[in-house]
Amino acid sequence: MADINKKEEAEAKASADEETVKAGHEAEEAEKNDQSSSMPDASEAAETEDRKGTDEADNEHGEKPEDESGTVTSNEAKAEDAEKGKPDKKDKQIEELTDKYKRLFAEFDNFRKRTEQEKAGMYDEGERYVLLKLLPVVDNFERALSSVPEELKGSSYVDGIDKIYRSFTDLLKELHVTPIEAAGQPFDANLHNAVMHIEDDSVGENMIVEEFQKGYMFRDKVLRYSMVKVAN
């Protein structure tokens, strides 16, 4: 009877030890599972390290870091965009200034040409004014020579008047002043001023029969119209 009790006690003890060992194994497994769940996977850790190394390499080469969506988020990207816009603004300013310079140059060139024309016109008008003042003097010399009596022709006095008259006419030629042909010529309203008309069948119609005052041309313009008598 005593042996049976000892055997039962030994079996109970062995069963208890077995339960204790089993509980210890289960505790160790649970602890391992907890540690594995809290630690990152080796592949994920390696991928993280590779990504970190790539980002560092990009930064060393001047490239801009990007977030998960691929969008540049650094302030340097904004500065780069601003720098890209500046050349367009400068080119536009250069174009505007160039256009303004061309317009100002054209306006100044037109002003210069207009001023030169006005000066030339004023000079021509001044010449015409002076020459018109000299023409009556020439007319008086012609009247004086045409009214010299026959007995005085060839005298030193008349020769002196004739020389002065010729000096005037030579001066007018040098100044591009030439007389307008009138007597015996067809009447031309652009050259002649008809102050008298007569009926004369011996001459052609609209012909100049007499010149009262000689007309002159100054270069290609009329300085003074010829005052004439015209036959109808």
Side-chain angles (χ1 to χ4, degrees):
M1 189 70 177
D3 293 335
I4 293 172
N5 292 333
K6 288 181 181 179
K7 185 177 180 179
E8 290 178 355
E9 290 178 0
E11 290 177 357
K13 184 178 181 181
S15 177
D17 291 340
E18 186 178 352
E19 291 292 333
T20 302
V21 172
K22 184 177 180 181
H25 285 298
E26 291 179 354
E28 288 179 0
E29 291 292 333
E31 184 178 357
K32 288 181 180 180
N33 291 333
D34 292 339
Q35 289 178 355
S36 62
S37 61
S38 61
M39 293 180 64
D41 185 69
S43 61
E44 293 179 358
E47 183 179 356
T48 303
E49 290 296 330
D50 292 341
R51 186 182 300 171
K52 182 178 180 182
T54 304
D55 293 341
E56 290 177 354
D58 292 342
N59 291 334
E60 289 178 357
H61 290 83
E63 298 181 359
K64 307 299 181 298
E66 299 183 357
D67 59 9
E68 294 180 356
S69 62
T71 304
V72 178
T73 58
S74 65
N75 293 330
E76 295 181 4
K78 296 179 180 179
E80 183 177 355
D81 293 339
E83 289 293 332
K84 288 180 179 179
K86 286 182 179 180
D88 296 337
K89 186 176 181 181
K90 290 180 179 179
D91 292 342
K92 185 176 181 180
Q93 290 178 347
I94 293 173
E95 184 178 354
E96 291 176 354
L97 292 173
T98 302
D99 182 66
K100 184 178 181 181
Y101 165 76
K102 289 180 179 180
R103 284 188 282 106
L104 289 174
F105 182 81
E107 290 177 0
F108 176 77
D109 189 56
N110 292 334
F111 170 77
R112 180 180 58 81
K113 292 179 180 178
R114 184 170 60 253
T115 303
E116 290 178 354
Q117 290 178 355
E118 290 176 354
K119 288 181 179 179
M122 292 174 63
Y123 182 77
D124 290 342
E125 288 299 322
E127 281 186 312
R128 289 174 60 86
Y129 178 79
V130 174
L131 292 173
L132 282 172
K133 293 296 183 181
L134 290 176
L135 292 181
V137 178
V138 178
D139 294 339
N140 290 332
F141 275 104
E142 290 178 348
R143 293 189 188 99
L145 291 174
S146 63
S147 61
V148 173
E150 288 293 332
E151 63 272 14
L152 293 178
K153 289 181 179 181
S155 63
S156 58
Y157 176 77
V158 176
D159 289 342
I161 295 175
D162 184 65
K163 288 179 181 179
I164 296 172
Y165 168 72
R166 292 183 184 280
S167 65
F168 267 106
T169 55
D170 291 341
L171 177 62
L172 292 176
K173 288 180 182 179
E174 292 178 5
L175 296 175
H176 308 287
V177 178
T178 56
I180 297 173
E181 294 185 8
Q185 299 294 322
F187 175 78
D188 186 353
N190 295 320
L191 302 174
H192 310 123
N193 183 19
V195 295
M196 185 178 295
H197 294 270
I198 62 169
E199 297 292 338
D200 191 345
D201 296 335
S202 62
V203 295
E205 185 178 359
N206 207 35
M207 297 294 294
I208 298 173
V209 295
E210 187 178 353
E211 182 183 50
F212 299 115
Q213 187 180 61
K214 186 180 292 186
Y216 290 91
M217 294 288 294
F218 176 50
R219 294 192 176 93
D220 56 345
K221 295 181 180 180
V222 176
L223 180 62
R224 188 177 73 180
Y225 290 91
S226 299
M227 192 178 298
V228 297
K229 179 193 294 184
V230 181
N232 293 329

